[in-house]
Amino acid sequence: MSVLEIAGEHFRFDVQGPEGAPPLVLAHSLGTTLELFDAVTPLLASRFRVVRYDLRGHGESTAPDAVHGMGDLGRDFINLVEGLKLGPVHFCGLSLGGMVGQWLVIHAPKRLKRIVLSNTTAYAGPPRVWEARIKAVRRTGTDHIADAVIDSWFSSGVKARMPETVARVREMIAATPAVGYAATSCAMRDMDFRAALHKVTTPTLVIVSDEDRSTPPEWGEAVAQGIPGAQLARLPGGHLSCLEQSEAFAKTVLDFLG
């Protein structure tokens, strides 16, 4: 793992895959880290130069006590690819990462070649829902919400079938700084890309999962319907499709990126 310093802030990142291969940047969900993509990175790195990073407020990246907008996270991506001297890149974001991706295709499309938006939404629900979570996290920390988040993320039977994977994800959530989780939740609270999706010209794939209770498949379907020419792929399982269906997820991404 490496750390990139940008304007006094630091971001942890990892690079795998052949030098000279097309770059593919992966962005994780709220409350996790770049390790969310451990299972799919070797598969994707067979053909791409895969860059993973901890979003601000997560893992070992900068975690200021602030109110973030989705533009703050989008500009972090721009600073990262500039710092690594990467030209236009492919991008794959899951959940929160997919929201960052939507900001990018609307506000910085020249930075992107193709984009995958997985298990995500253009609007994350009424602000009052996020306000309650933000207050709870600031009051008691992320460990207290970890079990509820896990229950909403994984499909039936996964806890018994993949106990170590579930435990690792729970550890990621519990280790996320409360200020970082709350600040990023503000960005999700205030986000609404629905009216701008029709402007997107970047080739886009949207992945939905049949048992996703965090971002139900109809939310992703609405994103695909809103983006001209977007493709839609459906996988079984829950919210973290890159974990529950790692091989199918990687194949779906690789087939789209070509």
Side-chain angles (χ1 to χ4, degrees), residues 5-41:
E5 297 287 341
I6 304 172
E9 297 184 317
H10 57 275
F11 294 87
R12 184 179 70 130
F13 70 95
D14 173 66
V15 181
Q16 295 186 38
E19 290 188 20
L24 167 61
V25 178
L26 307 179
H28 59 77
S29 63
L30 176 67
T32 63
T33 65
L34 62 81
E35 280 82 7
L36 180 69
F37 296 106
D38 276 355
V40 298
T41 293

Side-chain angles (χ1 to χ4, degrees), residues 29-30 32 149-154 169 173 214 238-240 244:
S29 63
L30 176 67
T32 63
V149 173
I150 288 293
D151 287 341
S152 71
W153 277 1
F154 287 100
V169 174
I173 298 168
S214 185
H239 185 58
L240 301 183
E244 286 196 32

Side-chain angles (χ1 to χ4, degrees), residues 104-150:
L104 290 169
V105 292
I106 293 167
H107 296 282
K110 292 183 179 180
R111 303 282 181 173
L112 304 169
K113 293 181 178 177
R114 287 178 168 245
I115 187 167
V116 179
L117 306 173
S118 180
N119 302 88
T120 194
T121 181
Y123 175 67
R128 67 177 183 276
V129 175
W130 288 100
E131 288 292 347
R133 181 179 292 193
I134 291 165
K135 289 179 181 177
V137 167
R138 285 192 173 276
R139 184 173 61 252
T140 61
T142 49
D143 183 66
H144 286 75
I145 66 164
D147 290 330
V149 173
I150 288 293

Side-chain angles (χ1 to χ4, degrees), residues 11-254:
F11 294 87
R12 184 179 70 130
F13 70 95
D14 173 66
V15 181
Q16 295 186 38
E19 290 188 20
L24 167 61
V25 178
L26 307 179
H28 59 77
S29 63
L30 176 67
T32 63
T33 65
L34 62 81
E35 280 82 7
L36 180 69
F37 296 106
D38 276 355
V40 298
T41 293
L43 303 174
L44 299 173
S46 65
R47 285 167 46 189
F48 292 92
R49 186 75 162 167
V50 178
V51 180
R52 302 178 288 167
Y53 70 108
D54 288 343
L55 277 66
R56 68 168 50 237
H58 294 74
E60 297 177 29
S61 288
T62 189
D65 187 356
V67 174
H68 298 334
M70 206 57 68
D72 295 314
L73 282 76
R75 284 183 285 272
D76 290 340
F77 163 86
I78 293 171
N79 290 334
L80 176 74
V81 296
E82 286 185 349
L84 297 178
K85 296 180 171 54
L86 301 175
V89 303
H90 297 302
F91 180 93
C92 175
L94 188 146
S95 193
L96 167 63
M99 299 170 195
V100 177
Q102 290 173 76
W103 185 93
L104 290 169
V105 292
I106 293 167
H107 296 282
K110 292 183 179 180
R111 303 282 181 173
L112 304 169
K113 293 181 178 177
R114 287 178 168 245
I115 187 167
V116 179
L117 306 173
S118 180
N119 302 88
T120 194
T121 181
Y123 175 67
R128 67 177 183 276
V129 175
W130 288 100
E131 288 292 347
R133 181 179 292 193
I134 291 165
K135 289 179 181 177
V137 167
R138 285 192 173 276
R139 184 173 61 252
T140 61
T142 49
D143 183 66
H144 286 75
I145 66 164
D147 290 330
V149 173
I150 288 293
D151 287 341
S152 71
W153 277 1
F154 287 100
S155 61
S156 57
V158 171
K159 286 185 178 180
R161 191 170 72 252
M162 305 170 64
E164 293 181 358
T165 297
V166 174
R168 285 198 305 271
V169 174
R170 193 198 183 283
E171 290 173 3
M172 291 183 202
I173 298 168
T176 302
V179 293
Y181 193 103
T184 309
S185 295
C186 291
M188 298 174 75
R189 175 196 65 192
D190 299 336
M191 173 202 71
D192 189 350
F193 297 125
R194 291 175 293 181
L197 293 178
H198 72 280
K199 302 176 183 178
V200 174
T201 58
T202 304
T204 302
L205 170 68
V206 179
I207 297 175
V208 300
S209 297
D210 291 331
E211 294 184 62
D212 187 346
R213 297 190 301 278
S214 185
T215 51
E218 57 268 25
W219 292 11
E221 291 166 0
V223 174
Q225 291 167 2
I227 296 176
Q231 298 180 34
L232 179 70
R234 185 181 300 274
L235 297 177
H239 185 58
L240 301 183
S241 55
C242 64
L243 287 178
E244 286 196 32
Q245 301 291 329
S246 55
E247 291 187 4
F249 180 94
K251 184 179 185 303
T252 299
V253 172
L254 290 171

